[in-house]
mmCIF file of all heavy atoms in Angstrom:
data_model
loop_
_atom_site.group_PDB
_atom_site.id
_atom_site.type_symbol
_atom_site.label_atom_id
_atom_site.label_comp_id
_atom_site.label_asym_id
_atom_site.label_seq_id
_atom_site.Cartn_x
_atom_site.Cartn_y
_atom_site.Cartn_z
ATOM 1 N N LEU A 434 0.641 14.043 -7.137
ATOM 2 C CA LEU A 434 0.379 12.610 -7.119
ATOM 3 C C LEU A 434 1.300 11.876 -6.159
ATOM 4 O O LEU A 434 0.874 10.973 -5.446
ATOM 5 C CB LEU A 434 0.488 12.026 -8.522
ATOM 6 C CG LEU A 434 -0.621 12.420 -9.492
ATOM 7 C CD1 LEU A 434 -0.300 11.910 -10.894
ATOM 8 C CD2 LEU A 434 -1.965 11.904 -9.026
ATOM 9 N N MET A 435 2.548 12.266 -6.113
ATOM 10 C CA MET A 435 3.496 11.627 -5.211
ATOM 11 C C MET A 435 3.137 11.907 -3.757
ATOM 12 O O MET A 435 3.195 11.015 -2.918
ATOM 13 C CB MET A 435 4.923 12.088 -5.512
ATOM 14 C CG MET A 435 5.476 11.501 -6.785
ATOM 15 S SD MET A 435 7.078 12.168 -7.274
ATOM 16 C CE MET A 435 8.050 11.950 -5.833
ATOM 17 N N LEU A 436 2.756 13.128 -3.457
ATOM 18 C CA LEU A 436 2.379 13.471 -2.088
ATOM 19 C C LEU A 436 1.112 12.755 -1.658
ATOM 20 O O LEU A 436 1.002 12.289 -0.526
ATOM 21 C CB LEU A 436 2.213 14.982 -1.935
ATOM 22 C CG LEU A 436 3.491 15.794 -1.959
ATOM 23 C CD1 LEU A 436 3.181 17.286 -1.953
ATOM 24 C CD2 LEU A 436 4.383 15.427 -0.788
ATOM 25 N N SER A 437 0.136 12.646 -2.527
ATOM 26 C CA SER A 437 -1.104 11.968 -2.160
ATOM 27 C C SER A 437 -0.875 10.473 -1.955
ATOM 28 O O SER A 437 -1.544 9.841 -1.152
ATOM 29 C CB SER A 437 -2.187 12.215 -3.203
ATOM 30 O OG SER A 437 -1.844 11.641 -4.430
ATOM 31 N N ALA A 438 0.069 9.900 -2.661
ATOM 32 C CA ALA A 438 0.374 8.483 -2.493
ATOM 33 C C ALA A 438 1.047 8.210 -1.154
ATOM 34 O O ALA A 438 0.989 7.102 -0.646
ATOM 35 C CB ALA A 438 1.269 8.010 -3.633
ATOM 36 N N CYS A 439 1.646 9.223 -0.549
ATOM 37 C CA CYS A 439 2.360 9.064 0.707
ATOM 38 C C CYS A 439 1.497 9.420 1.912
ATOM 39 O O CYS A 439 1.996 9.504 3.018
ATOM 40 C CB CYS A 439 3.608 9.941 0.717
ATOM 41 S SG CYS A 439 4.795 9.497 -0.546
ATOM 42 N N SER A 440 0.214 9.642 1.712
ATOM 43 C CA SER A 440 -0.658 10.054 2.795
ATOM 44 C C SER A 440 -0.686 9.017 3.910
ATOM 45 O O SER A 440 -0.737 7.816 3.653
ATOM 46 C CB SER A 440 -2.077 10.282 2.277
ATOM 47 O OG SER A 440 -2.936 10.579 3.352
ATOM 48 N N LYS A 441 -0.666 9.502 5.130
ATOM 49 C CA LYS A 441 -0.767 8.612 6.284
ATOM 50 C C LYS A 441 -2.213 8.460 6.733
ATOM 51 O O LYS A 441 -2.489 7.783 7.704
ATOM 52 C CB LYS A 441 0.108 9.146 7.412
ATOM 53 C CG LYS A 441 1.586 9.061 7.102
ATOM 54 C CD LYS A 441 2.417 9.385 8.300
ATOM 55 C CE LYS A 441 3.883 9.140 7.990
ATOM 56 N NZ LYS A 441 4.690 9.100 9.196
ATOM 57 N N LEU A 442 -3.145 9.091 6.017
ATOM 58 C CA LEU A 442 -4.562 8.997 6.349
ATOM 59 C C LEU A 442 -5.171 7.771 5.678
ATOM 60 O O LEU A 442 -5.862 7.853 4.671
ATOM 61 C CB LEU A 442 -5.301 10.270 5.921
ATOM 62 C CG LEU A 442 -4.854 11.554 6.598
ATOM 63 C CD1 LEU A 442 -5.645 12.736 6.083
ATOM 64 C CD2 LEU A 442 -4.983 11.438 8.108
ATOM 65 N N THR A 443 -4.877 6.613 6.270
ATOM 66 C CA THR A 443 -5.366 5.346 5.737
ATOM 67 C C THR A 443 -6.091 4.574 6.831
ATOM 68 O O THR A 443 -5.866 4.797 8.024
ATOM 69 C CB THR A 443 -4.206 4.482 5.220
ATOM 70 O OG1 THR A 443 -3.367 4.135 6.327
ATOM 71 C CG2 THR A 443 -3.396 5.196 4.157
ATOM 72 N N SER A 444 -6.941 3.658 6.422
ATOM 73 C CA SER A 444 -7.631 2.827 7.409
ATOM 74 C C SER A 444 -6.627 1.943 8.166
ATOM 75 O O SER A 444 -6.829 1.641 9.340
ATOM 76 C CB SER A 444 -8.719 1.987 6.753
ATOM 77 O OG SER A 444 -8.186 1.180 5.731
ATOM 78 N N GLU A 445 -5.534 1.571 7.501
ATOM 79 C CA GLU A 445 -4.518 0.762 8.177
ATOM 80 C C GLU A 445 -3.895 1.541 9.345
ATOM 81 O O GLU A 445 -3.712 0.994 10.433
ATOM 82 C CB GLU A 445 -3.414 0.327 7.199
ATOM 83 C CG GLU A 445 -3.865 -0.691 6.181
ATOM 84 C CD GLU A 445 -4.553 -0.058 4.968
ATOM 85 O OE1 GLU A 445 -4.481 1.188 4.792
ATOM 86 O OE2 GLU A 445 -5.186 -0.796 4.205
ATOM 87 N N ASN A 446 -3.554 2.811 9.110
ATOM 88 C CA ASN A 446 -2.980 3.614 10.189
ATOM 89 C C ASN A 446 -4.023 3.924 11.259
ATOM 90 O O ASN A 446 -3.706 3.932 12.445
ATOM 91 C CB ASN A 446 -2.373 4.906 9.642
ATOM 92 C CG ASN A 446 -1.017 4.670 9.027
ATOM 93 O OD1 ASN A 446 -0.373 3.654 9.270
ATOM 94 N ND2 ASN A 446 -0.565 5.596 8.209
ATOM 95 N N TYR A 447 -5.266 4.151 10.858
ATOM 96 C CA TYR A 447 -6.332 4.398 11.837
ATOM 97 C C TYR A 447 -6.478 3.198 12.770
ATOM 98 O O TYR A 447 -6.640 3.348 13.974
ATOM 99 C CB TYR A 447 -7.650 4.693 11.116
ATOM 100 C CG TYR A 447 -8.784 5.025 12.055
ATOM 101 C CD1 TYR A 447 -8.900 6.293 12.614
ATOM 102 C CD2 TYR A 447 -9.748 4.073 12.378
ATOM 103 C CE1 TYR A 447 -9.940 6.606 13.479
ATOM 104 C CE2 TYR A 447 -10.791 4.377 13.234
ATOM 105 C CZ TYR A 447 -10.881 5.647 13.781
ATOM 106 O OH TYR A 447 -11.910 5.945 14.646
ATOM 107 N N ASP A 448 -6.390 1.991 12.211
ATOM 108 C CA ASP A 448 -6.514 0.770 13.005
ATOM 109 C C ASP A 448 -5.360 0.580 13.985
ATOM 110 O O ASP A 448 -5.483 -0.169 14.954
ATOM 111 C CB ASP A 448 -6.625 -0.457 12.101
ATOM 112 C CG ASP A 448 -7.941 -0.502 11.344
ATOM 113 O OD1 ASP A 448 -8.912 0.182 11.751
ATOM 114 O OD2 ASP A 448 -8.001 -1.211 10.317
ATOM 115 N N LYS A 449 -4.240 1.244 13.755
ATOM 116 C CA LYS A 449 -3.091 1.157 14.669
ATOM 117 C C LYS A 449 -3.289 1.992 15.928
ATOM 118 O O LYS A 449 -2.594 1.791 16.922
ATOM 119 C CB LYS A 449 -1.814 1.624 13.962
ATOM 120 C CG LYS A 449 -1.353 0.706 12.858
ATOM 121 C CD LYS A 449 -0.125 1.283 12.182
ATOM 122 C CE LYS A 449 0.294 0.447 10.982
ATOM 123 N NZ LYS A 449 1.442 1.058 10.285
ATOM 124 N N LEU A 450 -4.215 2.949 15.894
ATOM 125 C CA LEU A 450 -4.440 3.828 17.039
ATOM 126 C C LEU A 450 -5.137 3.069 18.153
ATOM 127 O O LEU A 450 -6.090 2.331 17.918
ATOM 128 C CB LEU A 450 -5.276 5.042 16.620
ATOM 129 C CG LEU A 450 -4.703 5.886 15.485
ATOM 130 C CD1 LEU A 450 -5.684 6.988 15.115
ATOM 131 C CD2 LEU A 450 -3.352 6.463 15.869
ATOM 132 N N LYS A 451 -4.659 3.255 19.369
ATOM 133 C CA LYS A 451 -5.214 2.567 20.535
ATOM 134 C C LYS A 451 -5.477 3.564 21.656
ATOM 135 O O LYS A 451 -4.751 4.554 21.805
ATOM 136 C CB LYS A 451 -4.244 1.488 21.044
ATOM 137 C CG LYS A 451 -3.831 0.469 20.002
ATOM 138 C CD LYS A 451 -4.985 -0.399 19.584
ATOM 139 C CE LYS A 451 -4.535 -1.405 18.520
ATOM 140 N NZ LYS A 451 -5.537 -1.692 17.559
ATOM 141 N N MET A 452 -6.496 3.267 22.445
ATOM 142 C CA MET A 452 -6.799 4.091 23.619
ATOM 143 C C MET A 452 -5.570 4.130 24.522
ATOM 144 O O MET A 452 -4.884 3.121 24.688
ATOM 145 C CB MET A 452 -7.969 3.484 24.400
ATOM 146 C CG MET A 452 -9.264 3.457 23.635
ATOM 147 S SD MET A 452 -10.169 4.971 23.776
ATOM 148 C CE MET A 452 -10.722 4.874 25.445
ATOM 149 N N GLY A 453 -5.295 5.294 25.084
ATOM 150 C CA GLY A 453 -4.185 5.435 26.020
ATOM 151 C C GLY A 453 -2.856 5.789 25.376
ATOM 152 O O GLY A 453 -1.890 6.077 26.088
ATOM 153 N N MET A 454 -2.772 5.755 24.041
ATOM 154 C CA MET A 454 -1.524 6.151 23.387
ATOM 155 C C MET A 454 -1.223 7.609 23.699
ATOM 156 O O MET A 454 -2.129 8.426 23.800
ATOM 157 C CB MET A 454 -1.637 6.023 21.864
ATOM 158 C CG MET A 454 -1.536 4.658 21.311
ATOM 159 S SD MET A 454 -1.612 4.765 19.501
ATOM 160 C CE MET A 454 -0.450 3.501 19.094
ATOM 161 N N SER A 455 0.045 7.929 23.819
ATOM 162 C CA SER A 455 0.430 9.322 24.018
ATOM 163 C C SER A 455 0.323 10.069 22.689
ATOM 164 O O SER A 455 0.272 9.462 21.615
ATOM 165 C CB SER A 455 1.870 9.408 24.531
ATOM 166 O OG SER A 455 2.774 9.044 23.496
ATOM 167 N N ALA A 456 0.306 11.383 22.775
ATOM 168 C CA ALA A 456 0.262 12.206 21.567
ATOM 169 C C ALA A 456 1.474 11.918 20.688
ATOM 170 O O ALA A 456 1.365 11.887 19.459
ATOM 171 C CB ALA A 456 0.187 13.687 21.931
ATOM 172 N N GLU A 457 2.630 11.687 21.289
ATOM 173 C CA GLU A 457 3.836 11.386 20.508
ATOM 174 C C GLU A 457 3.710 10.053 19.774
ATOM 175 O O GLU A 457 4.164 9.919 18.643
ATOM 176 C CB GLU A 457 5.081 11.386 21.403
ATOM 177 C CG GLU A 457 5.535 12.770 21.800
ATOM 178 C CD GLU A 457 5.812 13.681 20.607
ATOM 179 O OE1 GLU A 457 6.494 13.245 19.642
ATOM 180 O OE2 GLU A 457 5.329 14.820 20.620
ATOM 181 N N GLU A 458 3.109 9.060 20.410
ATOM 182 C CA GLU A 458 2.912 7.769 19.747
ATOM 183 C C GLU A 458 1.971 7.923 18.550
ATOM 184 O O GLU A 458 2.196 7.323 17.491
ATOM 185 C CB GLU A 458 2.342 6.746 20.730
ATOM 186 C CG GLU A 458 3.334 6.308 21.784
ATOM 187 C CD GLU A 458 2.706 5.439 22.855
ATOM 188 O OE1 GLU A 458 1.628 5.784 23.382
ATOM 189 O OE2 GLU A 458 3.316 4.387 23.173
ATOM 190 N N VAL A 459 0.923 8.727 18.705
ATOM 191 C CA VAL A 459 -0.006 8.967 17.601
ATOM 192 C C VAL A 459 0.712 9.700 16.475
ATOM 193 O O VAL A 459 0.564 9.358 15.297
ATOM 194 C CB VAL A 459 -1.248 9.739 18.081
ATOM 195 C CG1 VAL A 459 -2.134 10.147 16.912
ATOM 196 C CG2 VAL A 459 -2.039 8.909 19.087
ATOM 197 N N LYS A 460 1.546 10.689 16.825
ATOM 198 C CA LYS A 460 2.299 11.432 15.810
ATOM 199 C C LYS A 460 3.274 10.525 15.066
ATOM 200 O O LYS A 460 3.551 10.742 13.885
ATOM 201 C CB LYS A 460 3.058 12.589 16.442
ATOM 202 C CG LYS A 460 2.174 13.734 16.853
ATOM 203 C CD LYS A 460 2.998 14.836 17.504
ATOM 204 C CE LYS A 460 2.123 15.922 18.072
ATOM 205 N NZ LYS A 460 2.918 16.959 18.760
ATOM 206 N N THR A 461 3.783 9.510 15.719
ATOM 207 C CA THR A 461 4.674 8.561 15.058
ATOM 208 C C THR A 461 3.937 7.836 13.933
ATOM 209 O O THR A 461 4.508 7.569 12.886
ATOM 210 C CB THR A 461 5.226 7.532 16.075
ATOM 211 O OG1 THR A 461 5.970 8.227 17.067
ATOM 212 C CG2 THR A 461 6.114 6.505 15.412
ATOM 213 N N ILE A 462 2.656 7.574 14.139
ATOM 214 C CA ILE A 462 1.862 6.872 13.137
ATOM 215 C C ILE A 462 1.341 7.821 12.056
ATOM 216 O O ILE A 462 1.430 7.530 10.873
ATOM 217 C CB ILE A 462 0.673 6.145 13.810
ATOM 218 C CG1 ILE A 462 1.197 5.046 14.747
ATOM 219 C CG2 ILE A 462 -0.282 5.554 12.772
ATOM 220 C CD1 ILE A 462 0.147 4.462 15.668
ATOM 221 N N LEU A 463 0.808 8.981 12.478
ATOM 222 C CA LEU A 463 0.115 9.879 11.551
ATOM 223 C C LEU A 463 0.910 11.097 11.118
ATOM 224 O O LEU A 463 0.506 11.801 10.196
ATOM 225 C CB LEU A 463 -1.196 10.369 12.191
ATOM 226 C CG LEU A 463 -2.216 9.298 12.546
ATOM 227 C CD1 LEU A 463 -3.408 9.929 13.242
ATOM 228 C CD2 LEU A 463 -2.642 8.520 11.317
#
Side-chain angles (χ1 to χ4, degrees):
L434 290 173
M435 287 173 53
L436 288 174
S437 65
C439 297
S440 175
K441 292 189 174 195
L442 298 179
T443 64
S444 57
E445 290 84 12
N446 281 342
Y447 183 79
D448 291 341
K449 292 177 185 177
L450 303 176
K451 305 293 179 214
M452 296 274 288
M454 283 183 143
S455 71
E457 285 304 313
E458 290 172 313
V459 173
K460 287 179 187 177
T461 299
I462 295 168
L463 299 176

